Structure formats: structure tokens, C-alpha cells
Amino acid sequence: AVFSCSPEAFGTMAAAVRTEEANAAFQGVFTADTPEKLEQVYDDWAKTYDDTVNNTLGGDGVNHPTGELFEVVKTHVPAARAILDVGAGTGVAGPLLAAQYSPSQMIALDLSKGMLEVAKALPNQGGYSDFVQACCPDLGTATGPYDLIFCAGTFTPNHAPPETLRTMLQVSQPGAHICFSVRNYYFDDVSSGFSTLQQALVDEGKWELVAKEERIYLPKENVYAYNFVYKVLKL
């Protein structure tokens, strides 16, 4: 199928982008004004993305957005057979999740075909069984049901909108875990929409909070993120 994404689905960027995150790596991703432009930025960035995150932004050769969320997830999620990795990018989470859970199905979903091609080229395809190009909040052909949804480094300014959380719930099953990170300053700015919607889903009885941990995100940029684990109660 031809990939497309409407500007309405793309969402709008909150006014919370912090000038401290002025690294050149962010210029394209924070200023792209259509999904297609954002996709092109990541397509062009795909082959050097891991080096940028691990070294230019991390400073220590570690992908902290993925690694820190994974540490929280493995503490609170005992098992998972069907996994959806939203914003999978170059597939960094794939081998970690595959080794921890030995899932029978694990889907990599991303806006960028170029990033997914990098993931697909990993040994054993990174443990992924399928690759889906989609534009959040639309999850495309990833219809589930899943018992673990992992989403690292995707709920960032000018990227996936908070409404994606509702579509994640729609492809989950009761008892599933939805796990994701949000930069702390972005979450704390009410205009981003995350704090309001996450609490609304609690009030609606859709899910319950299992864990919220603040951890380092991009060390060289001095950026931290909240890492959330929610348990799905009903669809």
C-alpha cells in the first residue's frame, strides 16, 4: 500500500521545545511541518542515526532513550508474547526485547522507511517478525492484539501526538502493558497534552499506572525523561 499521512494525524507541536536542545541534530526533526518532511529527515538520517544518539547526544556510546525505558520495562513486565515497538527506528530495542521475552510476534513500526530498512538489516532482523510504516496516531496494519507496546523516544516535540495512546489501547488486550518515555520538560508542559490524556485514561478506567521513573535521556544535552509503564484494564 502507498504510505500517506494527513497533517491532521500528524498533530501539532507544543510550544515547549526548549532552546537548550539546540544541537544541529534536532534542527530538521523539530522544524519539519509535515509528516512527509519529517519522514525525509529520518530517511536521510537513518544510516548515521545511532552514532548521533549514542555519541553526539549521549556522549558515552549508549542509546539511553531505548536502554533506560527497557530497564524499567523488564522490571515491571514479567512476560510478553506479542510485542509492538512503536517508533522502532533503527531497531535498537528489538534484540533487547527478543532476548528478554522470546516473543512469538514482534512488530517494528515507524514513520520512516529508511529507518526500518536499517532495522531489517540487523542480524535476525533484530528479532522482528514484521515491519510496518505508519504515521501515529494511525498504527496502520499493526492491529494486534498485543500484550506489550514499547515506545521509546517517539513522544517527543513535533512527533507522535498524545492521541496515539488511545490507538495503542485499541490494539492491546486486557492485562497488556503500554510502556513509553516522554521528555520531562515536555510532559510537564500541559500544552503537550500528555499529562492530561494519561490521567483521563486512568479516570476512564482504561489503564492503571504501574511505574513512572525519571531517568537520563540524552546525557550530553542534559535531558531527562519520564519512563511510564501502564497496565491495560479494558479496551
Side-chain angles (χ1 to χ4, degrees):
V2 176
F3 170 74
S4 65
C5 180
S6 68
E8 291 76 17
F10 186 52
T12 55
M13 186 173 84
V17 177
R18 193 169 66 175
T19 55
E20 289 94 315
E21 290 199 65
N23 190 288
F26 294 123
Q27 291 179 4
V29 299
F30 281 172
T31 59
D33 57 4
T34 69
E36 290 75 19
K37 289 180 182 178
L38 185 61
E39 179 195 357
Q40 188 61 55
V41 170
Y42 278 107
D43 283 350
D44 295 341
W45 194 5
K47 292 183 178 179
T48 59
Y49 178 82
D50 289 333
D51 179 65
T52 302
V53 172
N54 298 355
N55 297 306
T56 305
L57 304 175
D60 56 3
V62 175
N63 184 310
H64 286 280
T66 299
E68 298 296 332
L69 178 60
F70 175 72
E71 288 298 315
V72 177
V73 169
K74 74 177 186 180
T75 300
H76 295 283
V77 180
R81 297 298 296 157
I83 300 175
L84 176 62
D85 184 2
V86 176
T90 59
V92 174
L96 299 174
L97 294 167
Q100 180 71 21
Y101 296 111
S102 300
S104 57
Q105 178 191 38
M106 185 163 68
I107 311 299
L109 183 149
D110 202 86
L111 173 69
S112 164
K113 182 179 179 181
M115 298 284 273
L116 290 174
E117 289 296 331
V118 173
K120 195 178 297 185
L122 292 171
N124 193 35
Q125 293 192 143
Y128 296 107
S129 54
D130 200 7
F131 298 84
V132 174
Q133 187 183 14
C135 180
C136 295
D138 181 9
L139 300 179
T141 59
T143 56
Y146 304 104
D147 52 17
L148 171 59
I149 297 181
F150 184 94
C151 183
T154 302
F155 289 136
T156 68
N158 208 37
H159 287 62
E163 291 75 17
T164 307
L165 297 172
R166 286 197 181 274
T167 53
M168 287 178 171
L169 278 162
Q170 291 167 9
V171 300
S172 300
Q173 52 192 350
H177 291 89
I178 297 177
C179 312
F180 56 95
S181 58
V182 186
R183 282 168 165 84
N184 57 0
Y185 73 87
Y186 189 49
F187 177 85
D188 290 338
D189 188 314
V190 176
S191 69
S192 73
F194 282 94
S195 60
T196 301
L197 181 55
Q198 286 171 229
Q199 184 57 48
L201 293 172
V202 171
D203 295 342
E204 293 169 19
K206 297 287 190 181
W207 66 11
E208 64 182 2
L209 181 64
V210 174
K212 175 187 177 183
E213 294 188 21
E214 186 174 25
R215 289 176 170 245
I216 191 66
Y217 190 79
L218 299 172
K220 285 188 73 174
E221 299 294 295
N222 195 33
V223 175
Y224 287 76
Y226 298 125
N227 295 268
F228 295 96
V229 176
Y230 283 91
K231 184 176 182 179
V232 178
L233 301 177
K234 66 180 182 180
L235 305 185

